[in-house]
Amino acid sequence: MATTSQLVRVTADLTMQVPRNATGDLAQGVTNVVRGVDAVANVDDVDVTDLRPRLNDLRVDATVAVEMTVEDAPDVERASRDAFGDGFGIEAVESVDAERGADRATADTGERVQEYG
């Protein structure tokens, strides 16, 4: 069955585990965790709102702005939330706000992606 996908700009509040041995600063560690989500095409902004050190990692609350490819569905926010929820190290997804059709000229080709499988 063929499905179509679309590029959306998403702002979400996430709670995640950032490894203590991550390279770079805390924002880079958050970016690396978010980039690990298969659907994420680009991380535009990271705002760390809370940090709780734990034994082997850091529990971080952050607001992130990303461009991601999600299934072309009526509820883009739910599809975005599900995509984040599948990411390794992401514990909770809150307050998802998605805009259809990313407005960046380099990212928006105006064409939908056709997936087969």
Side-chain angles (χ1 to χ4, degrees), residues 25-104:
D25 60 8
L26 184 58
Q28 184 62 45
V30 169
T31 299
N32 291 341
V33 170
V34 173
R35 278 189 185 146
V37 175
D38 290 338
V40 172
N42 190 38
V43 179
D44 294 329
D45 189 37
V46 170
D47 180 27
V48 175
T49 57
D50 192 25
L51 168 67
R52 293 175 302 283
R54 301 191 307 182
L55 181 61
N56 296 318
D57 59 18
L58 306 169
R59 177 175 279 158
V60 177
D61 292 336
T63 301
V64 298
V66 302
E67 289 176 343
M68 63 189 333
T69 304
V70 296
E71 186 176 313
D72 191 12
D75 191 351
V76 176
E77 281 83 8
R78 174 175 275 172
S80 301
R81 182 183 307 273
D82 290 346
F84 277 125
D86 289 341
F88 180 77
I90 297 179
E91 296 178 357
V93 182
E94 302 291 332
S95 182
V96 174
D97 182 29
E99 300 173 21
R100 290 179 186 265
D103 57 2
R104 292 176 47 172

Side-chain angles (χ1 to χ4, degrees), residues 7-30:
L7 186 65
V8 294
R9 181 160 171 74
V10 177
T11 303
D13 295 328
L14 305 175
T15 299
M16 68 190 76
Q17 301 169 13
V18 176
R20 283 186 173 264
N21 63 352
T23 58
D25 60 8
L26 184 58
Q28 184 62 45
V30 169

